[in-house]
Coordinates of all heavy atoms in Angstrom, one line a residue:
M1 N 28.3 -10.3 -25.6 CA 26.9 -10.3 -25.3 C 26.8 -10.3 -23.7 O 25.9 -9.6 -23.2 CB 26.3 -11.6 -25.8 CG 24.9 -11.7 -25.4 SD 23.9 -12.0 -26.8 CE 22.3 -12.2 -26.1
V2 N 27.7 -10.9 -23.0 CA 27.6 -10.9 -21.6 C 27.8 -9.5 -21.1 O 27.2 -9.1 -20.1 CB 28.6 -11.9 -21.0 CG1 28.7 -11.8 -19.5 CG2 28.3 -13.3 -21.4
S3 N 28.7 -8.7 -21.7 CA 29.0 -7.4 -21.2 C 27.8 -6.5 -21.4 O 27.6 -5.5 -20.6 CB 30.2 -6.8 -22.0 OG 29.9 -6.7 -23.3
L4 N 26.9 -6.7 -22.4 CA 25.7 -5.9 -22.6 C 24.7 -6.2 -21.4 O 24.0 -5.3 -21.0 CB 25.1 -6.2 -23.9 CG 25.8 -5.7 -25.1 CD1 25.1 -6.2 -26.4 CD2 26.0 -4.2 -25.1
L5 N 24.6 -7.4 -21.0 CA 23.7 -7.7 -19.9 C 24.1 -7.1 -18.6 O 23.3 -6.8 -17.7 CB 23.5 -9.2 -19.8 CG 22.8 -9.9 -21.0 CD1 22.9 -11.4 -20.8 CD2 21.4 -9.4 -21.2
A6 N 25.4 -7.0 -18.4 CA 25.9 -6.5 -17.1 C 25.9 -4.9 -17.0 O 26.0 -4.4 -16.0 CB 27.4 -6.9 -17.0
Q7 N 25.7 -4.3 -18.1 CA 25.6 -2.8 -18.1 C 24.3 -2.3 -17.5 O 23.2 -2.9 -17.8 CB 25.7 -2.2 -19.5 CG 27.1 -2.4 -20.1 CD 27.2 -1.9 -21.5 OE1 26.2 -1.5 -22.1 NE2 28.4 -1.9 -22.0
T8 N 24.4 -1.3 -16.7 CA 23.2 -0.8 -16.1 C 23.1 0.7 -16.4 O 24.1 1.3 -16.7 CB 23.1 -1.0 -14.6 OG1 24.3 -0.3 -14.0 CG2 23.1 -2.4 -14.2
S9 N 21.9 1.2 -16.3 CA 21.8 2.7 -16.6 C 21.8 3.4 -15.2 O 21.2 2.9 -14.3 CB 20.5 2.9 -17.3 OG 20.2 4.3 -17.5
S10 N 22.3 4.6 -15.2 CA 22.3 5.4 -14.0 C 20.9 6.1 -13.8 O 20.7 6.7 -12.8 CB 23.4 6.5 -14.1 OG 23.1 7.4 -15.2
D11 N 20.0 6.0 -14.8 CA 18.7 6.6 -14.7 C 17.8 5.8 -13.8 O 16.7 6.3 -13.4 CB 18.1 6.8 -16.0 CG 18.8 7.8 -16.9 OD1 19.5 8.6 -16.3 OD2 18.7 7.7 -18.1
T12 N 18.1 4.6 -13.5 CA 17.3 3.7 -12.7 C 17.1 4.3 -11.3 O 15.9 4.3 -10.8 CB 17.9 2.3 -12.6 OG1 18.1 1.8 -13.9 CG2 16.9 1.4 -11.9
G13 N 18.1 4.7 -10.6 CA 18.0 5.3 -9.3 C 17.2 6.6 -9.3 O 16.3 6.8 -8.4
A14 N 17.4 7.4 -10.3 CA 16.6 8.7 -10.4 C 15.2 8.4 -10.7 O 14.3 9.1 -10.1 CB 17.2 9.6 -11.5
S15 N 14.8 7.5 -11.5 CA 13.4 7.2 -11.8 C 12.8 6.5 -10.7 O 11.6 6.8 -10.4 CB 13.3 6.4 -13.1 OG 13.8 5.1 -12.9
G16 N 13.5 5.7 -9.9 CA 12.9 5.1 -8.8 C 12.6 6.1 -7.7 O 11.6 6.0 -7.0
A17 N 13.5 7.1 -7.5 CA 13.2 8.1 -6.5 C 12.0 9.0 -6.9 O 11.3 9.4 -6.1 CB 14.5 9.0 -6.4
A18 N 11.9 9.2 -8.2 CA 10.8 10.0 -8.7 C 9.5 9.3 -8.5 O 8.4 9.9 -8.1 CB 10.9 10.3 -10.2
V19 N 9.5 8.0 -8.7 CA 8.3 7.1 -8.5 C 7.9 7.1 -7.0 O 6.8 7.3 -6.6 CB 8.4 5.7 -9.0 CG1 7.3 4.8 -8.6 CG2 8.5 5.7 -10.5
A20 N 8.9 7.0 -6.1 CA 8.7 7.0 -4.7 C 8.2 8.3 -4.2 O 7.3 8.4 -3.4 CB 10.0 6.7 -4.0
A21 N 8.7 9.4 -4.8 CA 8.2 10.7 -4.4 C 6.7 10.9 -4.9 O 5.9 11.5 -4.2 CB 9.1 11.8 -5.0
G22 N 6.4 10.4 -6.0 CA 5.0 10.5 -6.5 C 4.1 9.7 -5.7 O 3.0 10.2 -5.4
I23 N 4.5 8.5 -5.3 CA 3.6 7.7 -4.4 C 3.4 8.4 -3.1 O 2.3 8.4 -2.5 CB 4.2 6.3 -4.3 CG1 4.1 5.5 -5.6 CG2 3.5 5.5 -3.2 CD1 4.8 4.2 -5.7
A24 N 4.5 8.9 -2.5 CA 4.4 9.6 -1.2 C 3.5 10.8 -1.3 O 2.7 11.1 -0.4 CB 5.8 10.0 -0.8
A25 N 3.6 11.6 -2.4 CA 2.7 12.7 -2.6 C 1.2 12.3 -2.7 O 0.3 12.9 -2.2 CB 3.1 13.5 -3.8
Y26 N 1.0 11.2 -3.4 CA -0.3 10.7 -3.6 C -0.9 10.3 -2.2 O -2.1 10.7 -1.9 CB -0.3 9.4 -4.5 CG -1.6 8.7 -4.6 CD1 -2.7 9.3 -5.3 CD2 -1.8 7.5 -3.9 CE1 -3.9 8.6 -5.4 CE2 -3.0 6.9 -4.0 CZ -4.1 7.4 -4.8 OH -5.3 6.8 -4.9
F27 N -0.2 9.5 -1.4 CA -0.7 9.1 -0.1 C -0.9 10.3 0.9 O -1.8 10.3 1.7 CB 0.2 8.0 0.5 CG -0.1 6.7 -0.1 CD1 0.8 6.0 -0.8 CD2 -1.4 6.1 0.1 CE1 0.6 4.8 -1.4 CE2 -1.6 4.8 -0.5 CZ -0.7 4.2 -1.2
A28 N 0.0 11.3 0.8 CA -0.1 12.5 1.6 C -1.4 13.2 1.2 O -2.2 13.7 2.1 CB 1.1 13.4 1.4
F29 N -1.7 13.3 -0.1 CA -2.9 14.0 -0.5 C -4.2 13.2 -0.1 O -5.1 13.8 0.4 CB -2.9 14.1 -2.1 CG -4.2 14.7 -2.6 CD1 -4.5 16.0 -2.5 CD2 -5.2 13.8 -3.2 CE1 -5.7 16.5 -3.0 CE2 -6.4 14.3 -3.7 CZ -6.6 15.7 -3.6
I30 N -4.1 11.9 -0.2 CA -5.3 11.1 0.3 C -5.5 11.2 1.8 O -6.6 11.4 2.3 CB -5.0 9.6 -0.1 CG1 -5.1 9.4 -1.6 CG2 -6.1 8.7 0.5 CD1 -6.4 9.8 -2.3
G31 N -4.4 11.3 2.5 CA -4.5 11.4 4.0 C -5.1 12.8 4.4 O -5.9 12.9 5.2
I32 N -4.6 13.8 3.7 CA -5.2 15.2 4.0 C -6.7 15.2 3.6 O -7.5 15.8 4.3 CB -4.4 16.2 3.2 CG1 -3.0 16.4 3.9 CG2 -5.1 17.6 3.2 CD1 -2.0 17.2 3.1
F33 N -7.0 14.6 2.5 CA -8.4 14.5 2.0 C -9.3 13.8 3.0 O -10.4 14.3 3.4 CB -8.5 13.9 0.7 CG -9.9 13.8 0.1 CD1 -10.4 15.0 -0.4 CD2 -10.6 12.6 0.1 CE1 -11.7 14.9 -1.0 CE2 -11.9 12.6 -0.5 CZ -12.4 13.8 -1.0
I34 N -8.8 12.7 3.6 CA -9.6 11.9 4.6 C -9.8 12.7 5.9 O -10.9 12.8 6.4 CB -8.9 10.6 4.8 CG1 -9.1 9.7 3.6 CG2 -9.5 9.9 6.1 CD1 -8.3 8.4 3.7
V35 N -8.7 13.4 6.3 CA -8.8 14.3 7.5 C -9.8 15.4 7.3 O -10.6 15.7 8.1 CB -7.4 14.8 7.9 CG1 -7.6 15.9 9.0 CG2 -6.6 13.6 8.4
A36 N -9.8 16.0 6.1 CA -10.7 17.1 5.8 C -12.2 16.6 5.7 O -13.1 17.3 6.3 CB -10.3 17.8 4.5
I37 N -12.4 15.5 5.1 CA -13.8 14.9 5.1 C -14.3 14.6 6.5 O -15.4 14.9 6.8 CB -13.8 13.7 4.1 CG1 -13.6 14.2 2.7 CG2 -15.1 13.0 4.2 CD1 -14.6 15.1 2.1
T38 N -13.4 14.0 7.3 CA -13.8 13.6 8.6 C -14.1 14.9 9.5 O -15.1 14.9 10.2 CB -12.7 12.8 9.3 OG1 -12.5 11.6 8.5 CG2 -13.1 12.3 10.7
T39 N -13.3 15.9 9.3 CA -13.5 17.1 10.1 C -14.8 17.8 9.6 O -15.6 18.3 10.5 CB -12.3 18.1 9.8 OG1 -11.1 17.5 10.2 CG2 -12.5 19.4 10.6
F40 N -15.1 17.8 8.4 CA -16.3 18.4 7.9 C -17.5 17.6 8.4 O -18.5 18.2 8.8 CB -16.4 18.4 6.3 CG -17.7 18.9 5.8 CD1 -18.0 20.2 5.9 CD2 -18.6 18.0 5.2 CE1 -19.2 20.7 5.4 CE2 -19.8 18.5 4.7 CZ -20.1 19.8 4.8
Y41 N -17.4 16.3 8.4 CA -18.5 15.4 8.9 C -18.8 15.7 10.4 O -19.9 15.8 10.8 CB -18.2 13.9 8.7 CG -19.4 13.1 9.1 CD1 -20.6 13.0 8.4 CD2 -19.2 12.3 10.3 CE1 -21.6 12.2 8.9 CE2 -20.3 11.5 10.7 CZ -21.5 11.4 10.0 OH -22.5 10.7 10.5
V42 N -17.7 15.8 11.2 CA -17.9 16.1 12.6 C -18.5 17.4 12.8 O -19.4 17.6 13.7 CB -16.5 16.0 13.4 CG1 -16.6 16.5 14.8 CG2 -16.1 14.5 13.4
F43 N -18.1 18.4 12.0 CA -18.7 19.8 12.1 C -20.2 19.7 11.8 O -21.0 20.4 12.4 CB -17.9 20.7 11.2 CG -18.6 22.1 11.1 CD1 -18.5 23.0 12.2 CD2 -19.3 22.5 10.0 CE1 -19.0 24.2 12.1 CE2 -19.9 23.7 9.9 CZ -19.7 24.6 11.0
L44 N -20.5 19.0 10.7 CA -21.9 18.9 10.3 C -22.7 18.2 11.4 O -23.8 18.7 11.7 CB -22.0 18.1 9.0 CG -23.3 18.1 8.2 CD1 -23.7 19.5 7.8 CD2 -23.2 17.2 7.1
A45 N -22.3 17.1 11.9 CA -23.0 16.4 13.0 C -23.1 17.3 14.2 O -24.1 17.3 14.9 CB -22.3 15.1 13.3
Y46 N -22.1 18.1 14.5 CA -22.1 19.1 15.6 C -23.2 20.1 15.4 O -24.0 20.4 16.4 CB -20.7 19.7 15.7 CG -20.6 20.8 16.8 CD1 -20.4 20.5 18.1 CD2 -20.8 22.1 16.5 CE1 -20.3 21.5 19.1 CE2 -20.7 23.1 17.4 CZ -20.5 22.8 18.7 OH -20.4 23.8 19.7
M47 N -23.3 20.6 14.2 CA -24.3 21.7 14.0 C -25.7 21.1 14.0 O -26.6 21.7 14.5 CB -24.0 22.3 12.6 CG -22.7 23.1 12.6 SD -22.6 24.4 13.9 CE -23.9 25.5 13.4
V48 N -25.9 19.9 13.5 CA -27.2 19.2 13.5 C -27.6 19.0 15.0 O -28.8 19.2 15.4 CB -27.2 17.9 12.7 CG1 -28.4 17.1 12.9 CG2 -27.1 18.3 11.2
A49 N -26.7 18.4 15.8 CA -27.1 18.1 17.2 C -27.3 19.4 17.9 O -28.3 19.5 18.8 CB -25.9 17.4 17.8
K50 N -26.6 20.5 17.6 CA -26.8 21.7 18.3 C -28.2 22.3 18.0 O -28.9 22.8 18.8 CB -25.7 22.7 17.9 CG -25.7 24.0 18.6 CD -24.5 24.9 18.2 CE -24.6 26.2 18.8 NZ -23.5 27.1 18.3
K51 N -28.5 22.3 16.7 CA -29.8 22.8 16.3 C -31.0 22.0 16.8 O -32.1 22.5 17.0 CB -29.9 22.8 14.7 CG -29.0 23.9 14.1 CD -29.6 25.2 14.2 CE -28.7 26.2 13.5 NZ -29.2 27.6 13.6
A52 N -30.8 20.7 17.0 CA -31.8 19.8 17.5 C -32.0 19.9 19.0 O -32.9 19.3 19.6 CB -31.5 18.4 17.1
G53 N -31.1 20.6 19.7 CA -31.2 20.8 21.1 C -30.5 19.8 21.9 O -30.6 19.7 23.2
Y54 N -29.7 18.9 21.3 CA -28.9 18.0 22.0 C -27.5 18.5 22.4 O -27.1 19.6 21.9 CB -28.7 16.7 21.2 CG -29.9 15.9 20.9 CD1 -30.5 15.9 19.7 CD2 -30.5 15.2 22.0 CE1 -31.7 15.2 19.4 CE2 -31.7 14.5 21.7 CZ -32.2 14.5 20.5 OH -33.4 13.8 20.3
N55 N -26.8 17.8 23.2 CA -25.4 18.2 23.5 C -24.6 18.1 22.3 O -24.6 17.0 21.6 CB -24.9 17.3 24.6 CG -23.5 17.7 25.1 OD1 -22.9 18.6 24.5 ND2 -23.0 17.0 26.1
P56 N -24.0 19.2 21.8 CA -23.2 19.1 20.6 C -22.1 18.1 20.5 O -21.7 17.6 19.5 CB -22.7 20.5 20.4 CG -23.6 21.4 21.3 CD -24.0 20.5 22.4
L57 N -21.6 17.7 21.7 CA -20.5 16.7 21.7 C -21.0 15.3 21.3 O -20.2 14.4 21.1 CB -19.9 16.6 23.1 CG -19.1 17.9 23.5 CD1 -18.5 17.8 24.9 CD2 -18.1 18.2 22.5
I58 N -22.3 15.2 21.2 CA -22.9 13.9 20.7 C -22.4 13.6 19.2 O -22.5 12.5 18.8 CB -24.4 13.9 20.8 CG1 -24.9 12.4 20.9 CG2 -25.1 14.6 19.7 CD1 -26.4 12.3 21.4
A59 N -21.9 14.6 18.6 CA -21.4 14.5 17.2 C -20.3 13.4 17.2 O -20.2 12.7 16.2 CB -20.9 15.8 16.7
L60 N -19.5 13.4 18.2 CA -18.4 12.3 18.3 C -19.0 10.9 18.4 O -18.5 10.0 17.8 CB -17.5 12.6 19.4 CG -16.8 13.9 19.4 CD1 -15.9 14.1 20.6 CD2 -15.9 14.0 18.1
I61 N -20.1 10.8 19.1 CA -20.8 9.5 19.2 C -21.4 9.2 17.9 O -21.4 8.0 17.4 CB -21.9 9.5 20.3 CG1 -21.2 9.7 21.7 CG2 -22.7 8.3 20.3 CD1 -22.2 10.0 22.8
I62 N -22.0 10.2 17.2 CA -22.6 9.9 15.9 C -21.5 9.4 14.9 O -21.7 8.5 14.1 CB -23.2 11.2 15.3 CG1 -24.5 11.5 16.2 CG2 -23.6 11.0 13.9 CD1 -25.1 12.9 15.9
L63 N -20.3 10.1 15.0 CA -19.2 9.7 14.1 C -18.7 8.3 14.4 O -18.5 7.4 13.5 CB -18.0 10.6 14.3 CG -16.8 10.3 13.5 CD1 -17.0 10.4 12.0 CD2 -15.6 11.1 13.9
F64 N -18.6 7.9 15.7 CA -18.2 6.6 16.1 C -19.2 5.5 15.7 O -18.8 4.5 15.2 CB -18.0 6.5 17.6 CG -17.6 5.2 18.1 CD1 -16.3 4.7 17.9 CD2 -18.4 4.4 18.8 CE1 -15.9 3.5 18.3 CE2 -18.1 3.1 19.2 CZ -16.8 2.7 19.0
R65 N -20.5 5.8 15.8 CA -21.5 4.9 15.4 C -21.6 4.7 13.9 O -21.8 3.6 13.4 CB -22.9 5.3 15.9 CG -23.1 5.3 17.4 CD -23.4 3.9 17.9 NE -24.6 3.4 17.3 CZ -25.0 2.2 17.2 NH1 -24.2 1.3 17.7 NH2 -26.1 1.8 16.7
A66 N -21.3 5.7 13.1 CA -21.3 5.6 11.7 C -20.1 4.8 11.2 O -20.2 4.1 10.2 CB -21.2 7.0 11.1
R67 N -19.0 4.8 11.9 CA -17.8 4.0 11.6 C -17.9 2.6 11.9 O -17.3 1.7 11.3 CB -16.5 4.6 12.2 CG -16.2 6.0 11.8 CD -15.6 6.1 10.5 NE -15.3 7.5 10.2 CZ -15.0 7.9 9.0 NH1 -15.0 7.0 8.0 NH2 -14.7 9.1 8.8
T68 N -18.7 2.3 13.0 CA -18.7 0.9 13.5 C -20.0 0.2 13.2 O -20.1 -1.0 13.4 CB -18.5 0.9 15.0 OG1 -19.5 1.6 15.7 CG2 -17.2 1.4 15.4
S69 N -21.0 0.9 12.7 CA -22.3 0.2 12.4 C -22.2 -0.7 11.2 O -21.5 -0.4 10.2 CB -23.4 1.2 12.2 OG -23.2 1.9 11.1
S70 N -22.8 -1.8 11.3 CA -22.9 -2.7 10.1 C -24.3 -2.8 9.6 O -25.2 -3.2 10.3 CB -22.3 -4.1 10.5 OG -23.1 -4.6 11.5
C71 N -24.5 -2.4 8.4 CA -25.9 -2.4 7.8 C -26.1 -3.6 7.0 O -25.3 -4.2 6.3 CB -26.0 -1.2 6.9 SG -25.9 0.3 7.9

């Protein structure tokens, strides 16, 4: 019975690596998604400020205020 408890499977390392790769791919996808959404938001704020006659770089201030404001 003791010998059965001491036996390990060689699949443990392979499955652990597969799980780690899946988690890494998930976080990479989330990171790319967040960068894309932020880029789109800055572009949208840039276009709104430009159409309103303001300095288009105010879009960065709009982004900063949106991130730090507490409602």
